[in-house]
Amino acid sequence: MSVKPASSNRPLSPFMIGPYYKPQLTSMLSITHRLTGLALAFGTIFIAAWVTAAATSPEAYGQFAWAANSIIGKLLLIAYTWALVYHLCNGIRHLFWDTGRGFALKSAYASGYAVVGASVVLTAVIWVAAYL
Amino acid sequence: MSLRSPLSQARGLGSAKDGVGHWWMQRMTAIALIPLSLWFVFSLVRFPLLDHATMVAWIHAPLVAVALVLFFLAMFYHAALGVQVVIEDYVGNEGVKLVSILVTKFALFAFGAAAIFAVLKIAFGA
Ligand code: HEM
Ligand code: HEM
């Protein structure tokens, strides 16, 4: 429905990725939240395939399990685990921001480093636990 | 009373009026996903996942089946809302935007329905 108004040629800020803005921890974590969100959304296809295989037959499940257990399957699962844990930790950071707190430069950086650290540690804990 | 000018109303500009609802549901589903996804991941690491019988026996427990359904509802809803925002941010062409949103929503709801149906089939199966 919308028609471009005459005023739409007013100046816009340049696109976020490119030569115009210096990469910083905060903006990189922001775009990573977006990328992990997209990756997780794509990964839901495999979660659906996994339970569907289980509901179909032991043979179908066996095929899925074989693929998941291959080297590539395992690497993808580790990547998915990290994406989930990162997005979860940074999502909590977002929800905290939504209360209006934590925006001071120092706290934004502190919570940012905490998210990076926690996402790596939790991914490692999950995969070590899986093999214990 | 509307704060929009008559001209902008005639041109069909302005919000689609469901922005707050969208934003709020993204947060509600996010909060639900904190315990649900942690429960999901830490349940999976506890048993031999590659074994069909173990997996089916696990889903057979009523509490597990209900938790899985809740997890899938929250996850697919949250994903559909989230991907929509990303498309709206980067796709300029109205037609392409509309089709992309339709396709991702249909796909995510279809996968969600399949996942939930699979859980129920196992849970109700003998
Ligand atoms: C490399 C630099 C940048 C990156 C990677 C980046 C990334 C992002 C991402 C991923 C989002 C959406 C998700 C979120 O809320 O976290 C976002 C939102 C936004 N960005 Fe940026 N951005 C950058 C620079 C900028 C700059 C320089 C401006 C302002 C001139 C800006 C203004 C905004 C605004 C207004 C929003 C919407 C916030 C909201 O919906 O609550 N960004 N940015
Ligand atoms: C499990 C599967 C999940 C999927 C598929 C998923 C997917 C997405 C996607 C696609 C977005 C949009 C990203 C953007 O606008 O930049 C998003 C945003 C968001 N997610 Fe998730 N997510 C998942 C789990 C979680 C969890 C566990 C949390 C827990 C806190 C969470 C919290 C958030 C929040 C707060 C936002 C909004 C961020 C913003 O303001 O831009 N998500 N998610």
Side-chain angles (χ1 to χ4, degrees):
Chain A
M1 258 295 284
S2 70
V3 177
K4 283 238 158 93
S7 59
S8 76
N9 57 4
R10 56 183 129 77
L12 297 170
S13 59
F15 185 61
M16 58 186 191
I17 314 272
Y20 302 103
Y21 301 109
K22 187 176 95 186
Q24 301 174 106
L25 178 77
T26 41
S27 57
M28 290 306 110
L29 295 190
S30 175
I31 198 65
T32 306
H33 190 78
R34 186 151 265 199
L35 294 175
T36 50
L38 288 178
L40 291 172
F42 188 73
T44 59
I45 299 172
F46 295 97
I47 297 186
W50 167 65
V51 277
T52 303
T56 305
S57 66
E59 291 73 36
Y61 193 76
Q63 276 171 348
F64 190 93
W66 176 84
N69 204 30
S70 67
I71 298 283
I72 297 176
K74 273 200 188 121
L75 287 177
L76 284 175
L77 280 171
I78 293 174
Y80 194 83
T81 311
W82 176 79
L84 177 63
V85 171
Y86 173 88
H87 189 93
L88 185 126
C89 294
N90 199 53
I92 294 173
R93 187 166 168 246
H94 263 281
L95 293 172
F96 186 70
W97 282 336
D98 289 338
T99 70
R101 274 164 279 215
F103 287 115
L105 210 48
K106 244 181 120 181
S107 1
Y109 270 87
S111 59
Y113 281 115
V115 162
V116 175
S119 70
V120 174
V121 171
L122 267 171
T123 307
V125 166
I126 289 165
W127 279 84
V128 169
Y131 279 97
L132 282 185
Chain B
M1 200 198 91
S2 168
L3 293 175
R4 288 157 60 200
S5 70
L7 181 59
S8 70
Q9 246 163 7
R11 279 176 170 155
L13 297 176
S15 81
K17 294 182 198 66
D18 57 0
V20 175
H22 186 286
W23 188 92
W24 183 241
M25 285 317 289
Q26 184 98 55
R27 267 75 197 161
M28 298 260 282
T29 50
I31 292 168
L33 280 169
I34 299 173
L36 288 171
S37 56
L38 284 175
W39 163 78
F40 181 69
V41 171
F42 282 100
S43 312
L44 294 194
V45 300
R46 277 191 12 248
F47 54 74
L49 260 187
L50 299 174
D51 179 45
H52 183 251
T54 321
M55 162 84 179
V56 166
W58 179 60
I59 296 181
H60 233 275
L63 278 181
V64 171
V66 170
L68 274 176
V69 169
L70 289 176
F71 174 54
F72 289 154
L73 281 175
M75 182 176 77
F76 283 97
Y77 194 6
H78 180 89
L81 292 169
V83 176
Q84 177 182 352
V85 174
V86 179
I87 294 173
E88 284 167 350
D89 277 355
Y90 301 134
V91 181
N93 180 290
E94 281 299 330
V96 179
K97 185 193 294 180
L98 185 72
V99 172
S100 318
I101 291 176
L102 272 180
V103 169
T104 45
K105 289 237 160 144
F106 285 175
L108 281 168
F109 279 97
F111 290 123
I116 289 170
F117 176 75
V119 170
L120 295 179
K121 187 180 172 214
I122 297 172
F124 290 138

